[in-house]
Amino acid sequence: MILIAESGSTKTDWVAFSSNNEPDINIKTAGFNPHILSSLKISEQLFQSKDLKVIASRIKEIHFYGAGCSSLPMKKVVKEALRSLFPTARINVYHDLEAAVRSTWKGEPAITSILGTGSNCCLYNGESICQNKPSLGYLLGDEGSGNNIGGKLYRSIVYGNAPKEIENDFLKQYNFDKTNLVNLLYSKQKPNEFLASFMPFVKERRNHPFIKEIITNAFQSFVDEHIKSFENYNNIECHFIGSLAYYFEEELNEVLVKEDIKMGSVTKSPLLGLLKYHKKLSA
């Protein structure tokens, strides 16, 4: 069997398929970002999945696409963890941008963006990926992401800048003590995932002027820093992958229209496109 994984910082979607007409096997686990988790930590979480352990001995080949897997050292972190559960499989680890472009490619050069827990952006011509600006990750970058938007909301509440009704609803919904919010954030092993977890709150109140401004400013920052860094960005179709782009397509499109940018496809997950890609290769 061949196993494909599409991993963000929050969750990983897996699908295993074979050439003998067996049904595909879909599995979900936690996300594995090597900038946040060590090989040992990733391995521990892999072994927590009963579903993965059941099929481990049948897996001959793995294609893992992950957030944070842009460099050889980071790919090695993930590969070593995968090797612990799949010792005999041939393992390939790719950056999540590879997943985005392979699942959205339509035959013409395109700007492809990821807007999920984190964010990223590239220009793809069918052969190579070009990034004009690096992804600075959850500490300094992630413009337009769940981490970014959740962080803006969290900071506004800590600073006392949010409208009282937003602050009260937030503290009540999550049972937080405002005096402990800073310590709470810095105690988290995955602070980006923690901040992104507030997106349901944002989604429920997306029409509140204060929340609407946070969303719009975050998307505008992403466009200004990344999409507009490419020459002729107005003449190139822009595809988007990720839950933030999917659930906030309306707000994202407002920013793109204002900037005269062509919106292409908007997809919650690249997994279906990746499955088609790898089934075609293995046929």
Side-chain angles (χ1 to χ4, degrees):
M1 298 188 80
I2 296 175
L3 181 63
I4 301 168
E6 189 274 312
S7 181
S9 296
T10 304
K11 64 179 178 65
T12 303
D13 291 314
W14 309 75
V15 59
F17 69 92
S18 63
S19 57
N20 56 5
N21 296 321
E22 289 183 67
D24 296 342
I25 300 172
N26 291 279
I27 298 170
K28 291 185 181 293
T29 68
F32 308 121
N33 188 324
H35 285 288
I36 302 172
L37 299 176
S38 65
S39 286
L40 179 59
K41 289 294 184 182
I42 294 173
S43 179
E44 288 174 353
Q45 293 194 28
L46 287 171
F47 274 89
Q48 289 176 11
S49 171
K50 295 180 181 179
D51 293 328
L52 285 179
K53 287 193 289 186
V54 166
I55 65 171
S57 63
R58 300 179 60 197
I59 300 301
K60 306 302 180 186
E61 188 175 325
I62 299 173
H63 298 280
F64 184 98
Y65 296 83
C69 298
S70 58
S71 66
L72 288 176
M74 293 299 99
K75 290 178 181 179
K76 184 179 179 182
V77 169
V78 174
K79 195 168 186 177
E80 288 179 354
L82 290 170
R83 181 71 65 205
S84 66
L85 182 58
F86 306 98
T88 62
R90 185 165 65 252
I91 300 172
N92 300 286
V93 179
Y94 312 93
H95 194 202
D96 56 357
L97 280 176
E98 292 271 9
V101 299
R102 286 180 176 179
S103 65
T104 58
W105 174 246
K106 296 180 180 180
E108 297 291 336
I111 294 172
T112 302
S113 301
I114 296 172
L115 292 176
T117 299
S119 68
N120 214 333
C121 184
C122 70
L123 174 67
Y124 185 61
N125 62 10
E127 296 181 358
S128 61
I129 290 175
C130 169
Q131 278 185 278
N132 277 6
K133 291 185 178 180
S135 171
L136 296 180
Y138 72 96
L139 287 177
L140 297 176
D142 275 355
E143 296 85 359
S145 69
N147 167 51
N148 180 230
I149 294 172
K152 288 178 180 294
L153 171 64
Y154 200 81
R155 181 172 58 187
S156 71
I157 290 171
V158 173
Y159 282 164
N161 295 330
K164 208 62 184 175
E165 67 271 19
I166 294 293
E167 178 182 311
N168 291 339
D169 286 352
F170 182 83
L171 297 175
K172 181 179 179 180
Q173 181 165 325
Y174 294 102
N175 195 28
F176 287 160
D177 176 0
K178 186 178 178 181
T179 63
N180 193 46
L181 290 180
V182 175
N183 291 333
L184 180 63
L185 173 63
Y186 282 93
S187 70
K188 297 298 180 180
Q189 183 182 36
K190 297 181 179 180
N192 58 332
E193 186 175 324
F194 173 67
L195 293 173
S197 72
F198 303 127
M199 292 315 298
F201 181 93
V202 172
K203 186 171 180 286
E204 290 171 5
R205 295 160 180 79
R206 66 197 303 170
N207 292 321
H208 188 288
F210 178 77
I211 298 295
K212 172 86 170 180
E213 185 178 14
I214 288 178
I215 299 169
T216 301
N217 287 347
F219 286 152
Q220 184 67 56
S221 178
F222 179 81
V223 168
D224 290 342
E225 290 292 348
H226 298 285
I227 292 179
K228 291 170 72 172
S229 71
F230 295 105
E231 188 176 357
N232 296 322
Y233 67 88
N234 292 117
N235 299 315
I236 304 172
E237 199 169 35
C238 295
H239 303 306
F240 294 88
I241 292 280
S243 57
L244 261 291
Y246 182 80
Y247 288 117
F248 295 92
E249 180 178 350
E250 180 181 337
E251 291 86 350
L252 176 60
N253 191 52
E254 286 179 11
V255 174
L256 297 183
V257 168
K258 182 166 68 74
E259 296 290 346
D260 193 27
I261 295 171
K262 301 175 183 179
M263 177 179 277
S265 61
V266 179
T267 311
K268 185 178 179 181
S269 168
L271 192 63
L272 182 59
L274 287 175
L275 183 60
K276 292 179 180 178
Y277 175 85
H278 284 286
K279 281 188 173 182
K280 185 177 180 180
L281 285 182
S282 64

